[in-house]
Amino acid sequence: MRLCDYPDCGRRFEARGYCASHYRMLRATGSVRKLLADTSDSERFWSAVDKGSDCWLWLRSTSGGGYGLFTPSKKGFVKAHRFAYEDVVGPIPEGLHLDHVCRNRLCVNPAHLKPVTQQENNENTAIRGDNTSGFKGVSFHKPTQRWMAYGQYKGKNNYLGLYDTAEEAGEVSRNFRMQFHTNNLGDRK
């Protein structure tokens, strides 16, 4: 359940990151800054984090894509993991993205966030939820009733052949990623 972004509120999220009561105050004053003048962005942020496990989980507003959202006093929404990294480590190097090496989009632990290029970030994606083979880079080819292996490199799909079992196709796809991807942490375990 999403909770209000106002410090120590704990009530259910209603709109724009706040519970009904704090949202009404926001609308009346016209500014989040007036509501939050007594606490720093960093204090407000870390009060909304559960550090009870290896992954530090964001407990407040989330995006449709499952990432935490935070409202600093001087900006609109920012992704919570980006705020955490910049608050603890410093600025994210220009042109780089943050990769959740733990694969948990709600994690804001800076030790789990790695600056990477867009290509490296794409290489380290988790297996898709609609995958039926159980292997990354493998799909069932209905016309031949066999398993097709494929791999992506520099934005292009590469056909890697048809195989009798998903396991065979999965191994071919994995070997392709090991050869051409630099950041495929899932394959290197």
Side-chain angles (χ1 to χ4, degrees):
M1 175 173 76
R2 290 169 54 181
L3 300 177
C4 177
D5 281 345
Y6 195 82
D8 302 320
C9 175
R11 286 180 281 198
R12 193 171 65 81
F13 163 87
E14 181 75 25
R16 303 230 30 207
Y18 300 100
C19 66
S21 175
H22 288 116
Y23 179 64
R24 279 193 301 275
M25 281 197 279
L26 172 65
R27 287 187 54 181
T29 63
S31 172
V32 175
R33 284 185 280 283
K34 290 178 185 172
L35 286 174
L36 305 174
D38 295 338
T39 55
S40 73
D41 288 339
S42 186
E43 289 172 320
R44 282 190 318 105
F45 179 85
W46 294 109
S47 74
V49 175
D50 176 7
K51 294 183 180 179
S53 66
D54 197 32
C55 283
W56 297 352
L57 299 179
W58 177 249
L59 301 174
R60 302 270 168 87
S61 299
T62 57
S63 69
Y67 292 95
L69 294 175
F70 176 63
T71 309
S73 58
K74 295 179 183 168
K75 300 181 186 179
F77 285 111
V78 295
K79 288 187 177 171
H81 65 283
R82 294 179 65 85
F83 183 90
Y85 185 88
E86 291 183 343
D87 193 46
V88 174
V89 178
I92 300 165
E94 190 166 335
L96 297 184
H97 302 263
L98 291 178
D99 185 14
H100 286 86
V101 295
C102 59
R103 313 277 22 105
N104 185 344
R105 293 178 178 182
L106 289 177
C107 180
V108 295
N109 183 344
H112 293 188
L113 302 171
K114 177 182 174 187
V116 296
T117 65
Q118 180 66 53
Q119 180 179 335
E120 289 172 328
N121 203 19
N122 291 342
E123 290 172 358
N124 198 25
T125 57
I127 195 167
R128 289 176 45 130
D130 62 352
N131 182 303
T132 58
S133 71
F135 298 94
K136 191 173 174 181
V138 176
S139 62
F140 191 69
H141 188 254
K142 287 182 183 179
T144 61
Q145 297 291 298
R146 296 178 77 198
W147 295 94
M148 180 175 68
Y150 58 91
Q152 292 184 341
Y153 181 63
K154 293 190 176 181
K156 295 185 180 178
N157 282 329
N158 293 276
Y159 169 75
L160 303 175
L162 295 170
Y163 300 88
D164 292 329
T165 68
E167 290 80 10
E168 287 177 293
E171 187 60 25
V172 170
S173 182
R174 181 185 173 283
N175 289 339
F176 177 87
R177 290 190 304 277
M178 292 293 287
Q179 181 178 355
F180 292 104
H181 293 186
T182 59
N183 193 46
N184 57 329
L185 300 175
D187 289 329
R188 298 186 188 281
K189 290 181 180 176

